[in-house]
Amino acid sequence: MNLSTPTIILSIILSLIISTTQPHKNTKNNLLILFLISLIPINPLMNNSELTLTLSPLIITPTENIYISINLDTLSLIFTPIALFITWSILEFSMWYMASDPNNNKFIKFLLMFLITMLMIITANNMYQLFIGWEGVGIMSFLLIGWWHGRQNANTAALQAIIYNRIGDIGLIMTTAWLLSSSSINMQELLIQHETTNIVPLLGLLAAATGKSAQFSLHPWLPSAMEGPTPVSALLHSSTMVVAGVFLLIRLHPVMNNNKNMMTLCLMLGATTTMFAAAAATTNLDIKKIIALSTTSQLGLMMTMVGMNQPSLAFLHMITHSFFKALLFLCSGSFIHNLNGEQDIRMMGGLLKTMPMTSSFLTIASFSLMGVPFLSGFYSKDTIIETLTNSHTNSWAITTTIMATILSACYSMKIMMITMTEHPRFHHNPHKETKTITNPLSRLTLASIMIGTMTKISTLQTTTTTTMPKTIKLMALIATTAGILLSKDLWHTSRLMSPQKPNKQSLFFNQLAFFNIPHREITMKTLKASQQLSTELMDLWTLENWGPKGLSNTITPTIHLTTQQKNMIKNYMTTFTITMTITLLSLTPK
C-alpha cells in the first residue's frame, strides 16, 4: 500500500478537528470532500494489504511502550468512508431539524467530536488508544442524549446511557490491565499470541461489547436514548457508538477464535438479544423506540455471527445496517418535526399523501431492514440466515433468529401501515419537503439500495459454493413474507377494536423485561431496607437496648452490690405496714 494512505487518514482526522472551530455552513462541504478523499485508499485495499503508522513512544515503561499508533487494514479503511458519508448526510439534515435551536453551532461541533472519537476506535492499534476513543464516544453520547437538558427524561436517559456503559467499561479496563501484565496491548502482538489467551480478558471484552452494543441485560439504555434529538439517534445507532462494541469483537476476533466457551457465550447472547428486542419492538408505539429496538435486534444478529465464527459476515451486516438505519431515523425525524414533535404512531396516518418523498424513503429503508431481495439488507441478512441453517450449531439459535426475522418484518410493516395509510389522525399543517430534507435522505436511500450489490461485485469476498435444500435457501424470504402477512392481518383485524388492557407478556416486553429489576425493584428494596435499618433496627432495637435499657441493666447490679435495698419498695412498705399494725395491736391496752 502506498504511503499516501496514512497521510490521507491523518489529514481526515486533523481536518475534522479543525472543522469543529469553523462556522457550521462550511462543515457540510468539508465532510463531503473528506468522504471523497477517504475513498482513495480503498483501491489498493483490494489486495488485502495492511499498514501501520506508529509514532515514537510517549511513555516508556519496563514492560510496555505507550505510543500513538494507527492501524489501516480492511476494517478501518472500509468503515471510515461509511462513517464520514453517514455523518455528512446527518449533518445536513441537522441544519434543518435543529434550525430553531439557539445552540445549533455547538450541536454540529458535538456531532463532529462524536465522529472523531469513533474514527479513533476504528483506527486504534493499541488498547490505550482504543480506550480513549471508547470513552470519548461515551462522553459525547452523554452530552448529546441530554441535549435538551431542561427535560427530566433527557437527563435521566443521558445518565442511564453513561452508567450502563460504565458497567461495560469495567470489562474493557480489566482486559487492558490483564493484557498489560501478561501479554501486550499492541494489536499485532496481541493477535500473534492469541493461542495463550485466558478466558478472563475475553469475558471482559464480552462485557464491554454488551454494554456498548446494548446486548441483553445491559439493553435498557438504548431505547431511553431516544430522548435526544433525532439526528443524534441516527448517528448513535448507525455508524457510531453502538456498533463500537461489535467492532471491538470483530477486530479482536482471532483472540477469541479458539475459545469455544467464548464463542458459545457470544452466540447465546446474540440470539437472545435479537429475539427479545424484536419482540419488544412489536409492543411499542413510539416510532423512535421501535427503530431503536430494531437496532438492538440487528446488533444481536451481528453478535450471533461473531459467535458463529463469521466476523466478516457480522462486519458486512454492520455496513449495510448503517445506511438503512440512519435513513429510518432521519425519515422518522422528518415525520416528527412535521407533526410538531408527535412520536406516537397512532397519532400519525395518511403521511403518504402529505409527505410522499419521506414516505417512499421510509418504505425502502424498512424493506431493506426486512431483507427484501436485492436491497442492501438482503445481501447480509439472507447470508447470515443461510450460514446459520447450514452450520452445526444448536437449533435453538437458528429458531430464535428466524423468529426475530419474522418479528422484524412485523414491526417494520406496522410502522409503514399505521403512519402512511388510512386517514390523517393529526391536526397540523405539514411543512414542505425542501432540498435540505430530501438531499440527505435521497443519498442514504441510494446507498441502502446499492451498497449490497456493490459489496457483492467487489473482490473483498471469497464465497464458497454450498449446496442446500430449496426450503433452507428460501428460509429468510419465507420468514419475512410470513411476518409481513401476519402484521397486515393483525392490523386489519385489530385496528377497529377498542383498546385492550395489555396482558402480562405484552407488558413484559413493553417494559423491556428486566428494566424494572435494576430501575424499580432494586431501588425500592434498597430504600425499604435502609428505612428499616434506620428506624426499626437503629431506633427500636439498638438505641433502646444500648440507651435507657442498657444503662439500667448496667447500673442495677452495681446498686445491688453497694446497698441492701433491692428496689422492692412495695414489699418494704407492706412489711412495714403489717409490722406496725401488729405492734400497735399488741401494745394497745386490753
Side-chain angles (χ1 to χ4, degrees):
M1 193 184 291
N2 54 10
L3 284 171
S4 63
T5 307
T7 320
I8 288 167
I9 299 293
L10 278 175
S11 63
I12 286 170
I13 295 171
L14 286 170
S15 307
L16 280 169
I17 294 165
I18 294 160
S19 293
T20 56
T21 59
Q22 293 180 343
H24 69 270
K25 286 174 186 174
N26 305 331
T27 312
K28 181 186 73 172
N29 300 331
N30 288 357
L31 275 172
L32 166 60
I33 295 159
L34 291 175
F35 163 66
L36 294 172
I37 292 169
S38 70
L39 292 172
I40 299 165
I42 291 183
N43 193 28
L45 170 77
M46 299 305 175
N47 309 323
N48 263 343
S49 48
E50 187 179 330
L51 190 128
T52 308
L53 184 75
T54 306
L55 299 182
S56 54
L58 299 173
I59 302 166
I60 298 169
T61 66
T63 53
E64 195 85 49
N65 289 344
I66 296 161
Y67 45 77
I68 295 169
S69 180
I70 289 176
N71 185 25
L72 303 172
D73 60 348
T74 313
L75 294 177
S76 53
L77 285 177
I78 287 181
F79 209 73
T80 302
I82 290 168
L84 285 165
F85 178 83
I86 289 170
T87 312
W88 166 45
S89 302
I90 291 169
L91 208 77
E92 191 174 341
F93 184 84
S94 312
M95 289 173 185
W96 167 74
Y97 193 86
M98 302 294 285
S100 57
D101 198 291
N103 297 321
N104 196 357
N105 277 7
K106 188 177 170 187
F107 182 77
I108 301 292
K109 284 171 188 173
F110 277 14
L111 286 184
L112 284 172
M113 286 297 292
F114 208 170
L115 175 64
I116 291 164
T117 48
M118 187 62 200
L119 287 178
M120 282 179 75
I121 293 175
I122 295 166
T123 56
N125 193 32
N126 58 51
M127 294 300 283
Y128 276 131
Q129 217 168 307
L130 188 135
F131 188 71
I132 293 163
W134 190 268
E135 289 303 299
V137 166
I139 292 161
M140 293 319 297
S141 71
F142 172 75
L143 293 171
L144 285 164
I145 293 165
W147 181 257
W148 288 318
H149 45 76
R151 292 160 56 188
Q152 191 182 347
N153 281 358
N155 286 332
T156 312
L159 273 172
Q160 205 174 313
I162 203 99
I163 289 164
Y164 273 97
N165 275 292
R166 292 311 288 163
I167 295 167
D169 290 350
I170 294 165
L172 193 66
I173 294 165
M174 183 181 76
T175 302
T176 310
W178 182 284
L179 295 174
L180 195 62
S181 59
S182 62
S183 176
S184 169
I185 55 162
N186 189 305
M187 296 281 183
Q188 275 96 354
E189 291 172 18
L190 173 60
L191 298 181
I192 293 165
Q193 301 170 6
H194 61 78
E195 300 291 335
T196 55
T197 307
N198 196 293
I199 188 74
V200 178
L202 297 185
L203 286 173
L205 286 177
L206 187 62
T210 306
K212 194 67 80 180
S213 289
Q215 296 299 294
F216 188 72
S217 71
L218 294 178
H219 61 279
W221 74 267
L222 201 58
S224 301
M226 296 301 98
E227 290 297 330
T230 310
V232 174
S233 308
L235 192 58
L236 190 84
H237 285 249
S238 57
S239 56
T240 59
M241 185 70 176
V242 292
V243 295
V246 180
F247 189 89
L248 175 73
L249 294 185
I250 295 169
R251 167 75 85 204
L252 296 177
H253 191 265
V255 175
M256 311 183 296
N257 207 357
N258 299 323
N259 197 312
K260 291 284 178 282
N261 294 335
M262 184 64 184
M263 293 283 100
T264 312
L265 276 173
C266 281
L267 184 72
M268 286 167 64
L269 185 67
T272 311
T273 306
T274 187
M275 168 66 206
F276 163 75
T282 53
T283 63
N284 247 300
L285 294 163
D286 183 318
I287 188 166
K288 279 174 75 177
K289 282 195 176 170
I290 296 172
I291 301 170
L293 285 161
S294 114
T295 305
T296 312
S297 184
Q298 300 308 309
L299 288 164
L301 207 57
M302 293 172 210
M303 185 68 90
T304 309
M305 277 299 102
V306 170
M308 274 286 300
N309 210 358
Q310 294 283 347
S312 52
L313 261 184
F315 187 63
L316 173 66
H317 193 55
M318 191 191 290
I319 292 168
T320 55
H321 170 259
S322 294
F323 292 103
F324 60 73
K325 191 46 57 80
L327 179 57
L328 274 170
F329 268 113
L330 294 189
C331 289
S332 69
S334 182
F335 284 165
I336 292 162
H337 203 54
N338 281 333
L339 302 176
N340 290 351
E342 183 57 67
Q343 289 183 206
D344 195 323
I345 52 174
R346 293 170 298 181
M347 301 305 288
M348 298 177 186
L351 288 167
L352 189 60
K353 296 282 188 288
T354 53
M355 300 180 68
M357 287 191 79
T358 309
S359 299
S360 309
F361 297 148
L362 184 74
T363 309
I364 292 167
S366 297
F367 279 151
S368 190
L369 170 64
M370 288 183 208
V372 169
F374 312 117
L375 293 174
S376 67
F378 165 76
Y379 289 99
S380 52
K381 209 169 185 181
D382 197 74
T383 321
I384 283 171
I385 290 166
E386 267 181 32
T387 311
L388 265 173
T389 43
N390 278 322
S391 68
H392 297 291
T393 183
N394 54 6
S395 55
W396 171 81
I398 297 164
T399 312
T400 46
T401 311
I402 297 293
M403 285 170 74
T405 309
I406 295 169
L407 289 168
S408 68
C410 271
Y411 60 71
S412 299
M413 205 65 197
K414 177 178 159 185
I415 289 178
M416 288 193 288
M417 286 192 297
I418 298 178
T419 57
M420 295 180 213
T421 60
E422 298 291 313
H423 60 277
R425 292 181 287 275
F426 50 88
H427 308 289
H428 311 304
N429 295 322
H431 308 300
K432 287 180 181 175
E433 292 179 303
T434 56
K435 280 185 179 179
T436 326
I437 312 165
T438 53
N439 281 354
L441 295 181
S442 310
R443 282 199 295 273
L444 287 167
T445 307
L446 277 170
S448 297
I449 298 166
M450 298 296 295
I451 205 78
T453 320
M454 285 163 71
T455 322
K456 185 81 181 160
I457 58 172
S458 75
T459 56
L460 283 173
Q461 58 171 12
T462 48
T463 52
T464 51
T465 310
T466 51
T467 53
M468 63 186 94
K470 196 182 283 182
T471 326
I472 288 179
K473 181 72 181 166
L474 296 171
M475 180 79 82
L477 208 57
I478 293 165
T480 302
T481 314
I484 291 169
L485 292 172
L486 274 169
S487 185
K488 194 170 176 295
D489 279 3
L490 191 68
W491 165 239
H492 285 306
T493 51
S494 64
R495 67 195 172 94
L496 297 172
M497 287 168 65
S498 57
Q500 303 289 315
K501 195 176 179 183
N503 56 19
K504 275 188 179 177
Q505 291 86 352
S506 184
L507 269 175
F508 174 79
F509 285 116
N510 193 259
Q511 295 296 320
L512 295 181
F514 299 106
F515 178 85
N516 281 336
I517 294 169
H519 290 265
R520 299 280 183 272
E521 286 181 27
I522 291 174
T523 44
M524 283 306 292
K525 280 179 179 167
T526 310
L527 191 68
K528 280 184 178 174
S530 56
Q531 192 179 9
Q532 283 175 329
L533 277 169
S534 61
T535 54
E536 292 175 23
L537 199 64
M538 288 282 289
D539 196 31
L540 300 180
W541 180 74
T542 315
L543 292 175
E544 189 68 23
N545 278 356
W546 293 357
K549 275 187 185 171
L551 199 65
S552 165
N553 293 340
T554 313
I555 292 169
T556 306
T558 318
I559 292 168
H560 289 171
L561 282 170
T562 53
T563 176
Q564 293 302 309
Q565 302 292 338
K566 300 289 183 191
N567 287 352
M568 293 185 285
I569 196 81
K570 279 184 183 177
N571 294 356
Y572 300 153
M573 290 301 289
T574 310
T575 313
F576 177 73
T577 310
I578 292 167
T579 318
M580 281 295 292
T581 309
I582 293 167
T583 310
L584 286 169
L585 285 170
S586 62
L587 289 174
T588 50
K590 300 213 169 99

